[in-house]
Amino acid sequence: MQKLNSSKDKDKKQPVAIIRGIKRVLSDIENIKDKDPAATNVFEIILLYSGFHALLAYRIANKLSKWRIPFIPRLISQIARFFTGIEIHPKAAIGERFFIDHGMGVVIGETTIIGDNVLIYQGVTLGGTGKDHGKRHPTIGNFVTIGAGAKVLGNITIGDNSNIGAGSVVIDNVPEHSTVVGIPGRIVQQRFFVQGQLLHNKIPDPITCQLNRLTYEVKELKDKLNT
């Protein structure tokens, strides 16, 4: 009787898992439509978006990895990398409504954890800093945007609602509601958003801001000395 019950339970779980997977794929498609103004229709997303293809391959590889199936998950990851230019390790943990815009050159390491509603652009690396074991890749919070070419390295945490400017190299923890720019990444207190979207072309350079401040201070001192 127990064997019959267990087999019935398995039969019930299979359709549920399939429905859940279909809902997740539909959610990924809807997310791309919301975040990319160039996405005009569903068929275009399904057929032409490399970020969608890479994420779909990751979902399959990740599930197989959780089932402890050897070799096949990494094979799927490498095949997806060959066709899309995006490398996502099967053991990485990725939340809901994740979107890779354009995507070429994106690398996501094995112990990376990504929250919900995260947007990253081409050339982003979520990687390690050496040959450490254990948790060696970053943890990305919810509602985070990472600009093109940015590198987030090591076992660090990027807080919720934070934004990493294009080309930045982040090696330290970032608190929530922060904007980070530069090499190494520096936190800029101001936030540059329109309806939640980061304006990449209006992020200030913290070094230039500091130099400008020093220039004004020197000018004030000269004026005082002259008077």
Side-chain angles (χ1 to χ4, degrees):
M1 287 294 293
Q2 289 181 352
K3 289 183 179 180
L4 288 173
N5 291 332
S6 62
S7 62
K8 287 181 180 180
D9 291 339
K10 287 181 180 178
D11 291 339
K12 289 179 181 178
K13 287 180 180 179
Q14 286 177 353
V16 172
I18 293 170
I19 293 170
R20 191 186 300 118
I22 292 171
K23 286 183 177 180
R24 175 167 279 188
V25 171
L26 293 175
S27 176
D28 290 335
I29 293 171
E30 190 64 32
N31 184 46
I32 293 172
K33 285 178 65 179
D34 291 342
K35 291 181 178 175
D36 188 359
T40 56
N41 59 73
V42 172
F43 293 106
E44 185 176 292
I45 294 170
I46 293 172
L47 296 175
L48 304 178
Y49 272 63
S50 59
F52 173 73
H53 301 154
L55 186 57
L56 188 60
Y58 158 78
R59 302 281 191 208
I60 297 169
N62 179 253
K63 181 61 70 175
L64 295 177
S65 179
K66 287 180 179 178
W67 291 342
R68 300 182 182 277
I69 295 175
F71 184 73
I72 301 299
R74 288 302 302 272
L75 177 63
I76 293 172
S77 173
Q78 291 303 303
I79 292 172
R81 178 192 179 196
F82 178 80
F83 284 104
T84 66
I86 300 168
E87 182 177 346
I88 307 176
H89 197 285
K91 290 185 179 179
I94 298 178
E96 301 294 330
R97 299 179 67 80
F98 175 62
F99 178 35
I100 304 173
D101 197 353
H102 296 290
M104 179 61 71
V106 168
V107 177
I108 299 175
E110 178 183 8
T111 60
T112 301
I113 299 173
I114 299 175
D116 298 331
N117 292 284
V118 172
L119 168 63
I120 68 176
Y121 290 85
Q122 68 272 15
V124 167
T125 299
L126 305 179
T129 56
K131 296 182 178 180
D132 298 333
H133 295 283
K135 183 71 168 74
R136 60 189 186 279
H137 297 103
T139 297
I140 311 298
N142 302 316
F143 296 96
V144 172
T145 299
I146 305 178
K151 314 299 177 187
V152 184
L153 306 175
N155 183 18
I156 61 175
T157 299
I158 309 298
D160 295 347
N161 299 290
S162 292
N163 295 271
I164 311 300
S168 301
V169 177
V170 185
I171 54 176
D172 293 310
N173 291 329
V174 174
E176 296 180 356
H177 304 286
S178 298
T179 298
V180 177
V181 296
I183 303 174
R186 295 177 176 83
I187 296 173
V188 179
Q189 296 303 321
Q190 299 96 325
R191 303 184 69 197
F192 294 84
F193 303 97
V194 171
Q195 296 179 347
Q197 295 298 314
L198 175 66
L199 301 180
H200 298 273
N201 61 326
K202 294 190 177 181
I203 296 176
D205 182 351
I207 297 175
T208 302
C209 292
Q210 187 64 29
L211 289 173
N212 288 338
R213 253 186 237 108
L214 291 172
T215 301
Y216 291 135
E217 289 178 5
V218 170
K219 186 177 181 302
E220 285 181 6
L221 289 172
K222 283 183 177 179
D223 290 343
K224 287 180 181 179
L225 287 173
N226 290 334
T227 55

